[in-house]
């Protein structure tokens, strides 16, 4: 066993009832923040973004020793969400009794930059790193460039983004009707029993709100095709009907079932899709309409235009032809999609190819090298966000009447009834709204009076530097295959950015991207072993990077005992001692991702110090000592207070005492 000679003790190391109650309030605010969505989250999608209030609470509790000081700087319980209020750094400096820039903070798994963002606002000396180049680029746009260039960056971005959109509209705007907003597509298969053409859909609703109940009916024709009828005031019973559900299809003619393998083989070989409905803007009113022959002709013309120009696009590296790293949980290859470019229709490919072409033209015309670098990065995000909202994975939300992005389920998937956005209309998923999202994120990050820089590392952090505080959120086993899924965006924007950011790899490297990726290894056991080795190695590295009197704060969220055993063994191998632990609930219970999955409902914050001295201890001594420590903690809580503490939080408190001992 080890013993640690503690230097200054911070508030977060002592899990008092008062601090536990404060973290409960932080959890409430975090759940609300998830619904409010901070502007930086909308700049570009990234997985596992922690609420900003959580990063602020951890940074304050790790550097201060008075709970009232922490409460005052959190800004909880105000009219607006807490993240909109910038903490008063002058007050923080007085309570800290030292300059914040003297405290070096590191997040080696920086992701989208959310966790360290509030440490940066407190003017701590921040370093953020991530092995994933997409995460590195997001951090550049969120943590570094706005601090360097201020509000002028937002102005320049808006100007150049509008120029790119106008150029692209001039190139290919003729393939869209001026007033069209969204087109609804269905994948179609041929019934193996009667050869009827079947449009695949999991419901008949087009919109299902309190004011509108509009759906579709499919009518069989003599030539084994179908026609589509738009139905006003559709009943709930008819709206819930489907032609595909649970991996099986039902023929609209003979009513026989079509199994998953037959269905996917048909899609992969015939690639049959039908545009059936569209939304039209008439004045300020949106109207649903059946697709016309002219609509089909415009799409056909776009397809012909791509066929004529595809060699030129390929020669200019405007359409990526990289193969997809397939995963058994997301078998796109079953649908004949082996390259990322095959996840889009011909008209969608035209949009992306011309956006990339025009971004290059605009950035080549910017004389200032640094400005050109920042603008190219932000304009590449416009491409990424539109990719996410205009693909075979973009679905229509019938109760919100809006397009949902392809990453709504955390990885790109085929949806049988997808939505195609008119990129030149000001609607969710369109280019103009995308620019607004990025612009709002830039303004949010640029408008702080107290704004310090953040050192970013694209791959690894040198162990020469020693840090006072490490706050990090490492990968959670088989939660997300970051490397594989990041390529959904990365392979499109690399051709834009490679000359501006020479440090970028041409593909997302998987060598040290540790997660449980069965697709990468072809075997679940090998994938699990790779993750376990990677996590343990990272904790050894964290020990090297932390000062002897430093604090490590780690987030972890998983529902399996196996994952927790790996996590705790990693702490032991890294030679850390657990000082305290807390639960943070960050998800709204209605969240489609969180529902029924405890690994997403809450995170556990584990606070550690380095072990600097090795000693021997025996279990027969440790067990009674653990019992005494738990009893001592419980005795400090009044019976009235004890009854108000959520059982999960109480278990975490007890668990923390066990780990501490």
């Amino acid at each position: 066993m080890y013993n640690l000679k503690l230097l200054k003790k911070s508030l977060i190391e002592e899990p008092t009832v008062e601090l536990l109650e404060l973290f409960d309030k932080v959890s409430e605010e975090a759940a609300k923040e998830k619904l409010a969505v901070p502007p930086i989250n909308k700049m570009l999608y990234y997985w596992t973004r922690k609420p900003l209030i959580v990063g602020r609470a951890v940074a304050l509790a790790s550097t201060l020793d008075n709970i009232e000081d922490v409460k005052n700087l959190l800004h909880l319980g105000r009219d607006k969400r807490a993240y909109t209020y910038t903490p008063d750094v002058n007050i923080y400096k007085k309570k800290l009794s030292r300059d914040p820039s003297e405290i070096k903070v590191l997040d080696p798994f920086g992701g989208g930059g959310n966790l360290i963002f509030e440490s940066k606002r407190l003017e701590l000396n921040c370093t953020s790193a991530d092995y994933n180049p997409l995460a590195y680029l997001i951090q550049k746009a969120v943590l570094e460039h706005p601090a360097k260039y201020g509000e002028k960056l937002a102005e320049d971005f808006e100007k150049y983004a509008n120029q790119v959109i106008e150029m692209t509209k001039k190139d290919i705007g003729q393939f869209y009707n001026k007033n069209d907003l969204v087109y609804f597509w269905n994948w179609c298969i041929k019934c193996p029993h009667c050869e009827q053409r079947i449009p695949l859909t999991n419901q008949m609703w087009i919109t299902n709100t309190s004011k509108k109940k509009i759906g579709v009916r499919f009518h069989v024709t003599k030539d084994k095709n179908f026609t589509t009828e738009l139905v006003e005031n559709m009943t709930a019973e008819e709206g819930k009907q489907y032609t595909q559900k649970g991996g099986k299809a039902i023929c609209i003619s003979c009513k026989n079932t079509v199994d998953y393998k037959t269905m996917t083989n048909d899609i992969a070989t015939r690639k049959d899709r039908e545009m059936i409905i569209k939304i039209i803007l008439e004045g300020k009113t949106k109207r649903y309409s059946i697709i016309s022959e002219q609509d089909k002709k415009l799409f056909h013309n776009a397809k012909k235009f791509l066929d004529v120009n595809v060699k030129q696009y390929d020669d200019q590296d405007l359409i990526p032809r990289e193969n997809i790293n397939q995963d058994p949980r997301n078998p796109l290859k079953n649908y004949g999609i082996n390259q990322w470019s095959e996840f889009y229709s011909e008209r969608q490919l035209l949009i992306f190819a011309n956006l990339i072409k025009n971004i290059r033209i605009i950035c080549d015309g910017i004389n200032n090298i640094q400005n050109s670098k920042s603008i190219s990065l932000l304009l590449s995000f416009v491409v990424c966000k539109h990719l996410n909202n205009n693909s075979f994975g973009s679905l229509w939300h019938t109760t919100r009447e809006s397009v949902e992005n392809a990453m709504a389920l955390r990885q790109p998937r085929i949806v049988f009834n997808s939505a195609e956005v008119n990129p030149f209309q000001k609607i969710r998923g369109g280019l103009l709204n995308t620019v607004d999202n990025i612009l709002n994120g830039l303004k949010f990050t640029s408008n702080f009076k107290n704004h310090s820089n953040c050192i970013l590392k694209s791959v690894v952090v040198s162990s020469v530097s020693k840090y006072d505080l490490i706050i990090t959120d490492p990968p959670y086993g088989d939660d997300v295959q970051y490397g594989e899924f990041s390529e959904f965006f990365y392979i499109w924007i690399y051709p834009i950015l490679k000359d501006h950011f020479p440090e970028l790899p041409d593909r997302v490297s998987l060598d040290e991207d540790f997660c449980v990726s069965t697709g990468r290894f072809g075997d679940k056991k090998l994938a699990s072993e790779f993750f376990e080795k990677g996590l343990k190695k990272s904790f050894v590295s964290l020990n090297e990077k932390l000062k002897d009197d430093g604090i490590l704060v780690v987030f972890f969220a998983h529902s399996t005992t196996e994952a927790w055993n790996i996590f705790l063994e990693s702490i032991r191998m890294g030679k850390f001692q657990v000082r305290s632990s807390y639960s943070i609930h960050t998800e709204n219970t209605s969240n489609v991702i969180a529902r029924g999955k405890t690994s997403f409902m809450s995170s556990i914050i584990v606070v550690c110090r380095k072990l600097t001295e090795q000693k021997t201890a025996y279990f027969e001594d440790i067990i009674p000592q653990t019992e005494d420590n738990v009893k001592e903690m419980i005795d400090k809580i009044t019976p009235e207070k004890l009854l108000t503490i959520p059982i999960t939080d109480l278990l975490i408190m007890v668990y923390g005492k066990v780990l501490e001992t």
Side-chain angles (χ1 to χ4, degrees), residues 279-319:
I279 303 178
I280 303 172
L281 185 65
E282 294 181 340
K284 294 183 178 180
T285 304
K286 296 177 183 177
R287 180 173 66 83
Y288 292 85
S289 171
I290 295 291
I291 290 297
S292 68
E293 288 303 314
Q294 191 219 7
D295 296 322
K296 294 179 181 180
K297 184 179 179 181
L298 285 177
F299 183 82
H300 179 70
N301 290 343
K303 188 175 179 180
K304 282 177 61 179
F305 187 85
L306 179 66
D307 290 341
V308 170
N309 292 280
V310 69
K311 186 179 185 306
Q312 179 184 342
Y313 289 153
D314 283 334
D315 290 344
Q316 295 178 42
D317 199 17
L318 299 177
I319 299 178

Side-chain angles (χ1 to χ4, degrees), residues 388-625:
N388 203 13
N389 287 282
N390 207 6
S391 71
F392 291 164
S394 304
L395 56 89
W396 180 253
H397 201 296
T398 59
T399 57
R400 296 176 187 164
E401 291 192 280
S402 64
V403 175
E404 289 290 336
N405 64 74
M407 286 292 183
L409 295 173
R410 297 164 71 80
Q411 55 182 300
R413 294 176 181 269
I414 281 285
V415 292
F416 295 120
N417 44 336
S418 60
E420 179 192 8
V421 175
N422 182 340
F424 306 113
Q425 285 283 5
K426 193 166 180 55
I427 54 172
R428 181 174 178 178
L431 293 173
L432 295 171
N433 277 36
T434 291
V435 170
D436 284 347
N437 288 160
I438 298 171
L439 191 61
N440 290 337
L442 286 174
K443 289 178 179 178
F444 177 73
T445 57
S446 301
N447 284 344
F448 305 134
K449 292 179 181 178
N450 301 312
H451 210 313
S452 62
N453 279 331
C454 181
I455 298 171
L456 301 181
K457 303 290 183 181
S458 57
V459 180
V460 293
V461 182
S462 171
S463 59
V464 174
S465 298
K466 293 287 186 178
Y467 297 89
D468 302 279
L469 176 62
I470 298 177
I471 306 173
T472 195
D473 183 20
Y476 305 152
D478 62 352
D479 179 24
V480 176
Q481 284 72 53
Y482 293 94
E484 286 88 341
F485 297 156
S486 292
E487 288 215 326
F488 175 75
F489 300 112
Y490 188 74
I491 49 96
W492 286 94
I493 62 174
Y494 175 72
I496 299 173
L497 301 176
K498 61 182 180 181
D499 294 333
H500 300 280
F501 298 87
E503 69 271 28
L504 293 177
D506 58 351
R507 295 289 295 268
V508 177
S509 178
L510 304 177
D511 294 345
E512 294 186 41
D513 174 62
F514 63 88
C515 63
V516 179
S517 176
T518 306
R520 192 187 311 172
F521 291 91
D523 181 86
K524 180 69 178 286
K525 184 179 179 182
L526 288 175
S528 298
E529 289 175 355
F530 178 75
F531 166 70
E532 184 174 349
K533 289 178 181 176
L535 190 63
K536 289 177 179 177
K537 181 181 176 182
S538 71
F539 271 80
V540 173
S541 179
L542 291 176
N543 186 295
E544 295 172 356
K545 293 172 177 59
L546 191 66
K547 292 180 179 179
D548 287 347
D549 61 332
I551 296 174
L552 168 67
V553 182
V554 188
F555 287 75
F556 199 73
H558 215 287
S559 57
T560 68
T561 306
E562 179 186 7
W564 273 101
N565 286 339
I566 294 171
F567 176 61
L568 296 175
E569 181 64 14
S570 299
I571 291 175
R572 189 191 69 80
M573 286 192 66
K575 296 183 179 180
F576 287 104
Q577 179 191 18
V578 175
R579 300 297 303 165
S580 60
S581 60
Y582 306 87
S583 62
I584 285 285
H585 314 286
T586 60
E587 299 290 349
N588 184 280
T589 54
S590 63
N591 186 306
V592 67
I593 302 302
R595 195 181 300 124
K597 296 184 178 182
T598 55
S599 60
F600 294 110
M601 288 301 294
S602 61
S603 295
I604 308 303
I605 299 175
V606 180
V607 182
C608 303
R609 288 270 194 173
K610 287 176 71 169
L611 296 167
T612 57
E613 187 178 349
Q614 185 171 3
K615 289 186 177 180
T616 301
Y618 300 94
F619 278 112
E620 53 264 37
D621 297 326
I622 293 175
I623 292 172
Q625 183 183 346

